[in-house]
Amino acid sequence: MEYINSCKEEINLRLEKIKQEITPLIDSYVTFFNIEKVFSSENGGKTRLNRQLFNENHEIIVQKILEINDVFEEMLDLIKTNIKSILSEFKEFDKVDFINLIFDDKNFLEILELDLNNEVIPREKKREVVREIIALFTLKNRIFNFKYYLSMIDTTIFDKHINKFGVEELINSSIIFEVIDSYGLQYKELEKFQLEIDYLTPKIEKIQSFQFLNSLLELHKRRCDNFFYANTRYKISIEYNNDLEFRKPMLFNISYLENIISCFIEQSCMDLVKQELKKGKIQKFIDINIQKIKGRIVITVKNNGFEIKNIFSLFSSDVDNKFVLEAKNLADSMNALLEIYSVENEGMVYSISFKA
């Protein structure tokens, strides 16, 4: 496992660098909750939202996110190089394109094992190759999981929203406090990121219900209300039902579960945009349900968007399938069942389920 140990050492060094970059992010976010700075007064005495403060801190946050993302990309390049080195001696894989590492891990491993069976090498060597690739895929998925948090703390959506405010919105106290609350929901994701970055191996936590998802779902609700694609705003409504409680505590990888649900929501947004581009203006909604069905806990994300008839096409190695592939790889690592299907004239359903 020489490749793996060396790779982990390099990644851990870079994670230490990222930990130092989180403090400036926190400082910028904290500014959003400083009431003395958030409000400014006009000559007429009216108090209004200090838009300049939000714009300036947004620029700092986005710049820091870009810098952190560059470090994560270095890690992925490192993983990519190690995968190529391990597979370079096998003719079927020496020319495989690993540009973005976006593919179905399980399918890749199945093909790898089949091809290794055709190679004249010792059985233990074959097993070692598979173990090393699995270990590198595990690292890859954790890095993508870290990158997911960057997308959740990116203030671009809310900054665009604020920049569209007219005079009336800027002095409307209910709108102002809703804005501050939205940044507060993002700040919770930043706190999660700060905790997660300490663990290259994700934590498994004991939970009694899925109530911890509420802040994330509320954040998505506000993000989707201001969803932008190709510089066009699409107002997407989200409703969620999260009342399920367990009879006994269950162990979950919370970070991966939240990542999967977020992938389903992002994919649903794209389905809805496609539907509107194809058929014209429509009411766009996403419905999230958490329930127990036949001894399994099932989380479904349903939308009334574009119906994808060829479900298998969603699992092909394509950047357009990023959200589905990311969700599938994480679900497989959790021994969960991921299902995708279309409902005729109703849209798409994305679900993940676990044994209760």
Side-chain angles (χ1 to χ4, degrees), residues 189-205:
E189 297 304 306
L190 177 55
E191 290 180 317
K192 291 178 191 175
F193 178 51
Q194 186 180 28
L195 292 172
E196 287 293 328
I197 205 74
D198 281 332
Y199 302 93
L200 191 51
T201 300
K203 297 177 293 179
I204 305 298
E205 300 178 58

Side-chain angles (χ1 to χ4, degrees), residues 22 30 48 63 111 147 153 184 190 240-241 246 259 313 351:
I22 291 178
V30 168
R48 63 188 293 172
Q63 182 58 40
I111 294 171
K147 281 166 66 69
I153 63 176
L190 177 55
Y240 57 88
N241 173 30
F246 314 145
N259 196 161
S313 68
S351 81

Side-chain angles (χ1 to χ4, degrees), residues 133-144:
I133 296 298
I134 289 174
L136 287 168
F137 282 1
T138 300
L139 289 173
K140 165 186 75 97
N141 292 331
R142 184 54 164 162
I143 303 306
F144 277 126

